[in-house]
Amino acid sequence: MTAASDLAIETHHLSRRFGEKLAVADLSIGVKRGEVFGFLGPNGAGKTTLLKMLLGLIEPNSGYGTLLGKPIGDRVARAKVGFLPEHFRFQDWLTGRELLRFHGRLYGLSGRALDAKADALLTRMALQDSADRPIKGYSKGMTQRIGLAQAILNDPEIIFLDEPTSGLDPLGRLLVRDVIRELRAGGTSVFLNSHLLGEVEATCDRVVFVKQGRVIHELDMAATPSGLEVELRVEGASDAVLATHGVLLSHAGGVARVRVDVEDQLPKLAQALVQSGARLYAMTPHKRSLEDTFLAVMGEDQRPG
């Protein structure tokens, strides 16, 4: 059980309607301090609505929650929040440096401290050569990176990132991953919403899956999976031997699939096959991807959004 003081976000039974549409229904989550938390679901699942409620931009119809130990909407707590929305628009006539100075003044920063912070972030986001160019001339990836820079300008205790790698090339995505890891190492909580499940898998400590405004599954990304599926290319193996150290899932055309409880059973299975006279050509473990889990959790009734 996580103590309330260890939680950056805590919600209980939040709901929100827009007319007849129920966008969020009975949603309860807890996000630990210093945790990278993934919030996953199809389009229309209520992800953006929850984000707006947590930021105090809209009020829930029922339920309650806290942000950094304060009621949602508390101004002191909101001053410690960073936010990069999915669809953002900056004053594109400003240069990157001017944009950071402008947002820094909104946070109460000024003078040399603000200039030094802006310069450091421009360098961290690989924008130092474009710092004095108007943002309207930036590429999509550069605009995304200057957006991330403004989101961490105030050294937030929690940061909300909505599709932060949208439009980035592989190097840009790697940069964002590194920044997220640096934030976590510094004790910042990261609330990540992304459709790029590979990015979520590479960065998150824990994820929840939401459907029709409700949390339906939670996954600890560091937990040991229950069982491991293995594909074997084998000739002359009987079903009985293949099932000696696991559960035989299929066997046809010289290819078998077996589920074992732990990886240590694989050498024993290989030894049993060889001793039985079978020829073992390959043994390939298959870890269940986050995408596989997402599709299984959402179910066959889910349609593209």
Side-chain angles (χ1 to χ4, degrees):
M1 185 72 128
T2 302
S5 60
D6 295 330
L7 294 175
I9 299 172
E10 187 175 16
T11 73
H12 297 274
H13 311 295
L14 287 184
S15 70
R16 175 69 194 199
R17 283 186 177 274
F18 296 98
E20 296 298 316
K21 178 178 173 56
L22 181 62
V24 171
D26 193 32
L27 203 152
S28 301
I29 60 170
V31 179
K32 302 172 189 174
R33 292 179 183 265
E35 176 182 41
V36 182
F37 179 85
F39 193 59
L40 306 180
N43 292 333
K47 302 190 300 298
T48 299
T49 300
L50 175 67
L51 208 60
K52 290 179 178 178
M53 285 194 286
L54 293 175
L55 291 165
L57 300 176
I58 59 174
E59 293 185 356
N61 294 125
S62 62
Y64 69 96
T66 61
L67 187 69
L68 300 174
K70 303 288 185 180
I72 289 175
D74 180 87
R75 293 185 65 181
V76 174
R78 288 173 67 182
K80 302 173 184 178
V81 170
F83 179 37
L84 177 64
E86 179 181 6
H87 302 294
F88 56 85
R89 294 292 183 271
F90 293 132
Q91 301 89 341
D92 61 6
W93 59 88
L94 297 178
T95 67
R97 192 187 308 277
E98 289 170 340
L99 179 80
L100 294 184
R101 285 174 174 169
F102 172 69
H103 280 267
R105 288 195 293 272
L106 293 176
Y107 284 122
L109 303 174
S110 62
R112 292 181 179 177
L114 174 55
D115 290 342
K117 190 65 179 293
D119 288 344
L121 284 172
L122 288 164
T123 299
R124 183 65 189 90
M125 299 299 166
L127 291 169
Q128 63 271 32
D129 295 337
S130 307
D132 298 309
R133 286 171 45 194
I135 292 173
K136 63 184 175 183
Y138 280 16
S139 67
K140 168 64 175 171
M142 293 166 66
T143 304
Q144 196 76 11
R145 298 200 308 274
I146 197 67
L148 180 58
Q150 69 77 31
I152 61 178
L153 185 62
N154 63 325
D155 295 322
E157 291 185 28
I158 183 167
I159 183 168
F160 294 89
L161 301 177
D162 197 357
E163 302 292 348
T165 55
S166 174
L168 295 180
D169 61 17
L171 289 175
R173 291 198 296 272
L174 183 60
L175 185 151
V176 172
R177 284 186 204 172
D178 288 343
V179 169
I180 289 174
R181 291 186 182 114
E182 290 166 8
L183 289 166
R184 177 176 57 187
T188 299
S189 302
V190 181
F191 189 103
L192 178 63
N193 174 28
S194 177
H195 287 101
L196 298 176
L197 298 185
E199 295 301 308
V200 174
E201 198 164 14
T203 56
C204 287
D205 300 306
R206 186 165 56 97
V207 299
V208 298
F209 300 81
V210 61
K211 182 178 180 181
Q212 297 176 347
R214 291 182 172 87
V215 172
I216 59 173
H217 188 66
E218 180 179 322
L219 182 64
D220 182 349
M221 301 301 291
T224 303
S226 57
L228 179 69
E229 287 192 14
V230 184
E231 182 179 279
L232 301 98
R233 287 181 51 236
V234 61
E235 287 184 3
S238 68
D239 289 353
V241 174
L242 285 166
T244 302
H245 296 284
V247 177
L248 179 60
L249 303 176
S250 64
H251 184 198
V255 176
R257 291 186 74 90
V258 177
R259 181 185 293 117
V260 297
D261 291 332
V262 292
E263 195 171 358
D264 290 347
Q265 290 176 298
L266 297 183
K268 298 176 183 178
L269 175 57
Q271 184 178 19
L273 287 166
V274 172
Q275 288 178 344
S276 73
R279 287 179 151 186
L280 179 61
Y281 297 101
M283 179 180 283
T284 309
H286 289 275
K287 180 183 177 183
R288 193 181 199 189
S289 70
L290 186 60
E291 182 176 353
D292 292 335
T293 302
F294 181 90
L295 294 174
V297 167
M298 290 300 139
E300 297 180 358
D301 62 324
Q302 182 65 47
R303 297 182 178 182

